[in-house]
């Protein structure tokens, strides 16, 4: 058993943290272990594998006369560090951004995202696949790999 | 790992393709000592600043900048049009 896991269990047994907190910490540890696994630095102790890249692929459809193709591969690490930069947006601009998000139906505040939220976000991105076919004109695919 | 090369490929119809390899490692050799020299000034500025947001920004600037740089390798953008194709990759 890992040193960190043992420490969490000790804190739980001593009553320093409750069951929910212990579960949250153990989940965070398993995310970290999975991240180590996917970065190729070493074997993970446990937990599912995490995606490393966000891919955006735009291809012309069957009926399209256009020939434009776009293929973007963004490392998720870059997205994580980008979100951290968001906390330095001036307050006035933050309010405008949040208002725009709410208008579009996203009731969230990117500037208040912490490390745990980011881990959750990246962890859940592994299942993300957006596949849009615009009447045979254009085919857009967003997924993680 | 910090990116060491930036590769740009440009293909145009009826023209010679352009392949450009930019050795970023040479740029880092200049930027890293400069960052080290500016570091104490950043810390002093953070100490003098009264507004908390600016103080935090100055204190977190280098860690965030380097974490973004360290995340750049493998970033790749490929755009292919009718007559032109551009490909950019950080290695």
């Amino acid at each position: 058993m890992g040193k960190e896991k043992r420490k969490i269990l000790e804190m739980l047994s001593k009553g320093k943290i409750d069951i929910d907190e212990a579960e949250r910490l153990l989940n965070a540890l398993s995310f970290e272990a999975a991240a180590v696994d996917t970065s190729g630095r070493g074997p993970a102790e446990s937990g599912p594998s995490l995606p490393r890249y966000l891919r955006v692929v735009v291809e012309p459809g069957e009926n399209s006369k256009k020939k434009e193709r776009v293929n973007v591969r963004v490392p998720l690490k870059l997205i994580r560090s980008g979100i951290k930069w968001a906390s330095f947006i001036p307050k006035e601009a933050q309010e405008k951004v949040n208002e725009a998000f709410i208008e579009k139906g996203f009731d969230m505040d990117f500037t208040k995202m912490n490390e745990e939220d980011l881990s959750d976000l990246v962890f859940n991105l592994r299942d993300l696949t957006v596949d849009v076919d615009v009447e045979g004109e254009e085919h857009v695919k967003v997924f993680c790999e | 790992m910090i990116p060491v090369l930036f590769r740009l490929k440009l293909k145009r119809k009826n023209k010679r393709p352009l392949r450009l390899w930019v050795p970023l490692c040479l740029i880092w050799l200049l930027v890293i000592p400069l960052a080290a020299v500016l570091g104490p000034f950043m810390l002093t500025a953070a100490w003098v600043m009264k507004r908390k947001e600016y103080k935090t920004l100055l204190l977190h600037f280098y860690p965030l900048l380097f974490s973004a740089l360290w995340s750049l390798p493998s970033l790749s953008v490929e755009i292919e049009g009718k007559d032109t194709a551009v490909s950019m990759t950080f290695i």
Side-chain angles (χ1 to χ4, degrees):
Chain A
M1 192 188 298
K3 211 176 175 182
E4 292 89 357
K5 276 187 186 173
R6 187 177 285 276
K7 204 172 176 181
I8 293 166
L9 293 174
E10 276 175 12
M11 284 160 73
L12 180 66
S13 66
K14 285 176 186 170
K16 288 182 181 174
I17 54 171
D18 59 19
I19 295 169
D20 288 338
E21 279 176 309
E23 192 186 359
R24 193 169 47 80
L25 290 169
L26 287 169
N27 279 341
L29 266 183
S30 68
F31 292 160
E32 267 177 36
V36 169
D37 183 34
T38 51
S39 65
R41 275 179 275 163
E45 283 179 31
S46 61
S49 63
L50 289 173
R52 294 177 68 187
Y53 303 105
L54 177 74
R55 293 279 309 273
V56 180
V57 180
V58 183
E59 287 176 334
E62 289 165 11
N63 311 329
S64 174
K65 287 174 188 170
K66 294 180 198 168
K67 287 187 176 175
E68 283 91 1
R69 285 169 194 271
V70 178
N71 186 356
V72 181
R73 186 174 70 172
V74 185
L76 286 173
K77 279 195 289 181
L78 189 62
I79 296 175
R80 284 169 74 109
S81 54
I83 292 173
K84 284 179 193 166
W85 277 102
S87 59
F88 298 114
I89 297 172
K91 269 187 184 173
E92 302 78 27
Q94 279 177 23
E95 283 164 13
K96 282 184 186 173
V97 171
N98 287 337
E99 277 170 24
F101 273 131
I102 290 166
E103 257 180 45
K104 299 280 177 190
F106 298 102
D107 190 9
M108 61 185 297
D109 188 350
F110 268 104
T111 57
K112 286 182 183 156
M113 281 185 98
N114 56 28
E115 197 61 39
E116 195 192 327
D117 295 330
L118 284 175
S119 299
D120 277 352
L121 178 73
V122 171
F123 183 73
N124 289 309
L125 274 176
R126 76 194 190 285
D127 296 327
L128 173 86
T129 307
V130 180
D131 207 335
V132 186
D133 191 29
V134 191
E135 294 170 352
E137 285 289 322
E138 216 165 43
H139 189 223
V140 182
K141 207 171 176 188
V142 181
F143 58 98
C144 286
E145 60 179 23
Chain B
M1 200 189 148
I2 201 161
V4 287
L5 280 171
F6 172 70
R7 190 182 66 194
L8 175 73
K9 282 185 192 173
L10 182 65
K11 284 181 192 169
R12 287 167 296 176
K13 203 179 178 182
N14 304 327
K15 285 189 180 176
R16 279 184 65 186
L18 174 75
R19 284 195 183 87
L20 191 65
W21 293 74
V22 182
L24 294 176
C25 48
L26 295 177
I27 296 171
W28 305 140
L29 284 176
L30 296 172
V31 169
I32 291 169
L34 187 70
V37 170
L38 289 175
F41 294 103
M42 296 278 276
L43 283 174
T44 315
W47 185 57
V48 171
M49 279 292 169
K50 284 183 181 168
R51 273 188 75 171
K52 201 186 165 192
E53 299 101 280
Y54 295 136
K55 206 182 262 278
T56 321
L57 173 61
L58 286 169
L59 287 174
H60 289 82
F61 184 76
Y62 279 153
L64 283 176
L65 181 70
F66 282 102
S67 84
L69 287 177
W70 249 258
S71 318
L72 275 178
S74 316
L75 174 68
S76 142
V77 179
E78 288 170 24
I79 301 163
E80 201 181 309
K82 199 178 170 186
D83 302 324
T84 315
V86 184
S87 160
M88 290 174 274
T89 314
F90 285 91
I91 301 165

